[in-house]
Amino acid sequence: MLKQLFKDSFYIGTMLNDDQVLGDDPNAMRIINEHFNSITAENVMKWDFIHPEQDTYQFQPADRFIALGQKHHLFLVGHTLVWHAQTPDWVFRDKSENFVTRETLLQNMQDHIFTVVGRYKGKVNGWDVVNEAVDDHGQMRKSQWWKILGEDYIQKAFEYAHQADPDAKLYYNDYSLYFPEKRDKVVQLIRNLKSDGVRVDGIGLQGHWGLDYPEKLDEIEDSIIAFSELGVEVMITELDVNVLPLPDKYVGADVSFKFEWQKEYDPYPEHLSNSLQKKLADRYADLFDLFYRHRNKISRVTIWGIHDGQSWLNHWPIEGRTNYPLLFDRAYQPKPAMDAIAKLIEESNAL
Ligand code: G3I
């Protein structure tokens, strides 16, 4: 039982896809009840899903997600308010297709945050307020948010979220945060926000990692320490371990990357060999060893999905591959990685 193993350390969370939110996956619910004490919705709270048109909100799936979390007393994470992806065009362009003004865009942002965060005030425990604002070279990502508003869009998003629910925890969430330039930029951003009196409670390191990358876990460790020294919570979010070859050696998680399917990139369509299964288990054990050693800094570890069949890594960056990145297999059975994690923690506690 994962949540028992980590009960004195950090929340252990998982993600629910759209079917799971709608209650169409009882096997997944059984696993959540047994192992997890926090949930994040994969898609139903993203802007294009929950607020597709200016005057149209689609709340029912998110309402179901919240009700489920409340019923099972889970720590609820709202994902995500301001992101470069999955944001409809109307947010940035007027009816004549021209870019909106700074004032209009801020108004759109405020309306969205006030409405969504306001609706779930006191229910969602923590929000991913800004997602992926920094590029892999440590520069501000040239998103529409940044192009129209400049760097202070981040501050605005946090301020609106805080006004909408003063008790909710507010997070910055990004991938490849073990890259030194990216880590440094995020440190600088959060330090500036805090010195301006803006409330930021935590930084989520999206754990979209692989069997062999990052090459050294010290790179992740350095970021855990650097972020913790800012006086914020550190979270490992969106954890999965890619076992497939990387096209173009791209190790990030930018949803816009796409490559053509080729057999060499989809080498295990039937099953994962025992030796790779063991490598995956060892990798998970090494990662959890790191998290456990830093449990005084880490408040939550969230896995990006329950079972291999639902992972986004079967569709990205190449559609139609068979990947094995999670802790349960396609038949909802625990993989050797589960035993490896349990053994590691039991042995650490016995020392
Ligand atoms: O909702 C439409 C549906 O109407 C349409 O029929 C279907 C056809 O392709 O697409 C559906 O939307 C898809 C959506 O998932 C819901 O299934 C999008 O195309 C697809 O791009 C989207 O992918 C999600 C991706 O974020 C982009 O939002 C993945 O499920 C989700 O796992 C992934 O998660 C992100 C985190 O939110 C942020 N960090 C990176 C991470 C991985 O990319």
Side-chain angles (χ1 to χ4, degrees), residues 5 9 18 29 34 47 109 164 189 197 229 268 286 322 338:
L5 280 180
S9 309
D18 311 358
M29 271 322 297
E34 195 173 339
W47 194 313
M109 184 200 272
L189 269 178
E229 284 173 352
Y268 320 117
D286 289 346
T322 307
M338 285 287 282

Side-chain angles (χ1 to χ4, degrees), residues 42-43 46 79 86 131-132 206 208 238 255 304 312:
E42 182 172 34
N43 289 307
K46 288 175 180 169
H79 176 80
Q86 310 296 124
N131 208 35
E132 303 170 7
Q206 296 180 18
H208 297 300
E238 308 187 19
V255 288
W304 204 232
W312 73 296

Side-chain angles (χ1 to χ4, degrees), residues 48-97:
D48 65 351
F49 198 101
I50 204 166
H51 189 186
E53 287 162 49
Q54 187 138 27
D55 302 319
T56 309
Y57 283 89
Q58 179 175 250
F59 285 127
Q60 286 101 315
D63 287 355
R64 296 279 296 257
F65 168 76
I66 303 290
L68 205 117
Q70 289 198 302
K71 180 171 166 204
H72 296 283
H73 308 289
L74 305 171
F75 184 92
L76 278 166
V77 182
H79 176 80
T80 177
L81 295 171
V82 173
W83 190 23
H84 65 90
Q86 310 296 124
T87 310
D89 270 354
W90 65 261
V91 177
F92 305 113
R93 290 177 191 271
D94 63 20
K95 293 202 170 62
S96 322
E97 296 292 301

Side-chain angles (χ1 to χ4, degrees), residues 22 51 67 86 94 105-106 130 133 135 148 162-163 190 201 205 245-246 266 270 276 282 335:
L22 296 176
H51 189 186
Q86 310 296 124
D94 63 20
L105 185 53
L106 283 176
V130 175
D135 72 18
I148 298 174
H162 182 52
Q163 287 164 26
I190 303 303
D201 297 289
L205 292 99
L246 291 169
D266 191 16
E270 303 300 335
L276 274 174
D282 290 347
K335 292 160 64 175

